[in-house]
Amino acid sequence: MSSSSPDSSLSAPLHWKFSQVFGEKAPGEDVQNSDLISAIEFDKSGRHLAVGDRGGRVIIFESKEAEETNEQRSRIELEAVDFSSKAHRRPIYQYKAEFQSHEPEFDYLKSLEIEEKINRVRWCMTHGGSMFLLSANDKTVKLWKLKEHKVKQVKETDHSSAVHSENGLLAEASYISMQGKPTVPNGHDMEWTTNAVKNISPVQEAQAKISSLEDSVRASCRKVYAHAHDFNINSVSNNSDGETFISADDLRINLWNLDVKDQCFNIIDIKPSNMEDLTEVITSAEFHPSHCNLLAYSSSRGFIHLIDMRQSALCDKSATILQETEHQPGSKSFFTEIIASISDIKFVNDGQCILSRDFMNLKLWDIRKDSMPVKVFKVHEHLRPKLCELYNNDSIFDKFECCVNGSGSHFATGSYSNLLHVFSNGDSTEEHMTVEAGKNPSRKPAVHSASRPRRSSLSNLTRGFYRQGNSNSGASSHEFACDLSSKLLHLAWNPTSNLIACSAGSSLFMYYA
């Protein structure tokens, strides 16, 4: 077998099946804005999944390996199973815990309302059997400790047994055997005790109803990293050293130590001395998966900057800039720079490649080749004739995330109509698998793209670069081949298995291959 065979098998197309859904709404049921999912993240083991929403809550799910049930498999498939081999398994997730991470605040100095929406969740290293999690809203990052403990769950209380004392319970639960005829200390013989055991005394019955021990997770906030961002936080990334992390907003990237909450280092600052000279903003940032001194950040101009923190304390000058060279100088249009803005980046596998998502495409970059991407996977090419309408209703500024599997052979991103697009590294740029994350197309949309409130962020200045006062449009979403009000923005790939978790409004869908 040639050496290229394993690579081709790893990047072969995957066949996706529906696995689970949490929070699915009934047809016609309204979706509250606070219930909309805004962040998704697996931990490195793939056993835990953290989901943040616009209401400032973080929900934790835990997996347990479960075999496919007989109902999910046909009779022919069951007959063909070789029971001597390991049964096919996939991660099955269940609700674990939920806690309120952020509350709405008001900055009186700037007269600015800070919403509780969770922008990013990131898992940290586990210490002493406890899990640690970073969560961020627009201005503040918090470190949470998640610890499992046993709690008593009251299943049912029997008020009629409240008159019995604890001493009475202990007396009835013990007896003394004397000369062949057991008696109990209160004078009753064994015959009464046997009947009491058969019928269960009221006190024992009450005890059985309330003494159920179950696992629970207690969340406690250990650190609050605040007052370091003048603009909205768009990224949080953990370093491979397990001690530091970065938080990025539109113009700055700060380096934090997990143990120090009141001090950070500003390592990147692209704010010009005159704000009228502002031409780009930071859109995403991420640490290298294995080299603690390297990080990358993307910009609204479509550039990816690679930074080596060993070069200087303030890393304003990039070690490498990944940007696509213009092949046809006269091919620029009014929307060229808008659709070039990168909304998300992810390091692939060992960190030799970077996956980026802009409005139109998913691109794979080799950090050793800075002039053009290795591959371009087309996602919204069919919308190119509709860019004017998308601009007028602000849909062109939607920020879609991307994700990559553990081996770096497959990539995924979202689109409109709640569509999930999965690409293989071995496929052509046109071929890919498309899955609709939703069962009820008649459900009322939670947010209409034409009337979406704008957040107070410098990212909105990007729109100001091109906005020319034409905010009215005669085009509506029904003229498109897709539903602009249903968009799959957030998703994550399980690092240890081919399972993708993605959000459609307030619903969390999971698909496996």
Side-chain angles (χ1 to χ4, degrees), residues 333-401:
S333 70
F334 175 76
F335 304 105
T336 301
E337 292 188 18
I338 304 178
I339 61 178
S341 177
I342 297 176
S343 56
D344 192 24
I345 58 172
K346 292 288 190 300
F347 275 100
V348 177
N349 203 7
D350 58 356
Q352 292 298 319
C353 295
I354 295 178
L355 186 69
S356 69
R357 172 67 203 268
D358 55 44
F359 184 78
M360 300 297 293
N361 305 309
L362 191 67
K363 297 179 181 179
L364 182 65
W365 302 80
D366 190 327
I367 62 176
R368 296 160 294 188
K369 302 176 182 178
D370 56 3
S371 60
M372 60 183 299
V374 177
K375 281 194 174 182
V376 178
F377 303 96
K378 297 181 179 180
V379 181
H380 283 163
E381 189 63 29
H382 62 285
L383 295 178
R384 190 174 292 276
K386 298 289 185 179
L387 290 180
C388 183
E389 290 87 345
L390 292 169
Y391 170 77
N392 286 331
N393 62 25
D394 276 354
S395 294
I396 200 172
F397 300 104
D398 286 330
K399 301 180 184 299
F400 294 92
E401 296 179 0

Side-chain angles (χ1 to χ4, degrees), residues 185-390:
N186 58 11
H188 296 290
D189 59 13
M190 189 58 191
E191 182 179 358
W192 181 92
T193 307
T194 303
N195 294 334
V197 170
K198 290 180 181 180
N199 297 327
I200 304 178
S201 67
V203 179
Q204 291 171 325
E205 183 179 2
Q207 184 190 33
K209 291 179 180 179
I210 66 174
S211 61
S212 173
L213 289 177
E214 294 186 6
D215 291 331
S216 180
V217 174
R218 178 178 299 163
S220 58
C221 184
R222 305 307 299 268
K223 294 285 190 302
V224 178
Y225 312 95
H227 311 298
H229 289 279
D230 293 329
F231 308 103
N232 292 344
I233 297 174
N234 56 48
S235 300
V236 174
S237 179
N238 293 316
N239 201 344
S240 58
D241 61 10
E243 298 179 356
T244 57
F245 72 94
I246 56 172
S247 58
D249 62 26
D250 298 323
L251 296 181
R252 294 185 177 94
I253 298 180
N254 295 327
L255 177 67
W256 300 83
N257 188 297
L258 285 169
D259 295 329
V260 182
K261 64 179 182 179
D262 53 359
Q263 185 181 25
C264 66
F265 298 94
N266 178 224
I267 58 175
I268 295 174
D269 188 350
I270 65 171
K271 183 180 178 180
S273 56
N274 185 357
M275 287 296 288
E276 293 182 358
D277 298 332
L278 181 66
T279 58
E280 65 177 342
V281 295
I282 299 171
T283 57
S284 181
E286 183 166 322
F287 263 119
H288 192 280
S290 57
H291 297 292
C292 61
N293 58 290
L294 298 179
L295 64 93
Y297 75 89
S298 59
S299 76
S300 57
R301 296 179 62 189
F303 300 161
I304 299 177
H305 300 256
L306 293 178
I307 303 298
D308 189 343
M309 294 190 297
R310 296 173 300 183
Q311 292 183 347
S312 63
L314 188 60
C315 307
D316 286 340
K317 295 182 179 180
S318 305
T320 305
I321 300 180
L322 307 180
Q323 63 181 101
E324 191 169 5
T325 56
E326 187 180 353
H327 299 287
Q328 299 177 355
S331 62
K332 278 192 173 183
S333 70
F334 175 76
F335 304 105
T336 301
E337 292 188 18
I338 304 178
I339 61 178
S341 177
I342 297 176
S343 56
D344 192 24
I345 58 172
K346 292 288 190 300
F347 275 100
V348 177
N349 203 7
D350 58 356
Q352 292 298 319
C353 295
I354 295 178
L355 186 69
S356 69
R357 172 67 203 268
D358 55 44
F359 184 78
M360 300 297 293
N361 305 309
L362 191 67
K363 297 179 181 179
L364 182 65
W365 302 80
D366 190 327
I367 62 176
R368 296 160 294 188
K369 302 176 182 178
D370 56 3
S371 60
M372 60 183 299
V374 177
K375 281 194 174 182
V376 178
F377 303 96
K378 297 181 179 180
V379 181
H380 283 163
E381 189 63 29
H382 62 285
L383 295 178
R384 190 174 292 276
K386 298 289 185 179
L387 290 180
C388 183
E389 290 87 345
L390 292 169

Side-chain angles (χ1 to χ4, degrees), residues 365-489:
W365 302 80
D366 190 327
I367 62 176
R368 296 160 294 188
K369 302 176 182 178
D370 56 3
S371 60
M372 60 183 299
V374 177
K375 281 194 174 182
V376 178
F377 303 96
K378 297 181 179 180
V379 181
H380 283 163
E381 189 63 29
H382 62 285
L383 295 178
R384 190 174 292 276
K386 298 289 185 179
L387 290 180
C388 183
E389 290 87 345
L390 292 169
Y391 170 77
N392 286 331
N393 62 25
D394 276 354
S395 294
I396 200 172
F397 300 104
D398 286 330
K399 301 180 184 299
F400 294 92
E401 296 179 0
C402 60
C403 62
V404 58
N405 70 340
S407 63
S409 59
H410 294 81
F411 322 109
T413 189
S415 180
Y416 296 106
S417 299
N418 288 335
L419 291 181
L420 171 66
H421 298 272
V422 183
F423 298 88
S424 172
N425 199 3
D427 289 347
S428 67
T429 59
E430 300 288 345
E431 297 178 358
H432 65 280
M433 179 73 69
T434 302
V435 180
E436 181 181 4
K439 296 180 179 179
N440 292 314
S442 61
R443 182 178 61 182
K444 293 182 181 180
V447 179
H448 298 281
S449 58
S451 60
R452 179 177 53 200
R454 297 181 182 176
R455 301 168 61 199
S456 56
S457 169
L458 259 186
S459 299
N460 294 327
L461 289 181
T462 308
R463 305 173 183 181
F465 297 155
Y466 315 104
R467 181 69 65 184
Q468 296 180 338
N470 182 18
S471 58
N472 298 321
S473 173
S476 58
S477 60
H478 70 270
E479 298 180 8
F480 292 86
C482 56
D483 182 8
L484 297 182
S485 63
S486 302
K487 58 195 74 173
L488 197 154
L489 301 175

Side-chain angles (χ1 to χ4, degrees), residues 18-43:
F18 170 79
S19 178
Q20 291 177 272
V21 59
F22 294 93
E24 186 180 22
K25 301 296 182 181
E29 183 179 355
D30 290 328
V31 179
Q32 299 296 324
N33 182 70
S34 60
D35 294 333
L36 295 179
I37 295 175
S38 56
I40 304 175
E41 179 79 3
F42 284 101
D43 68 349

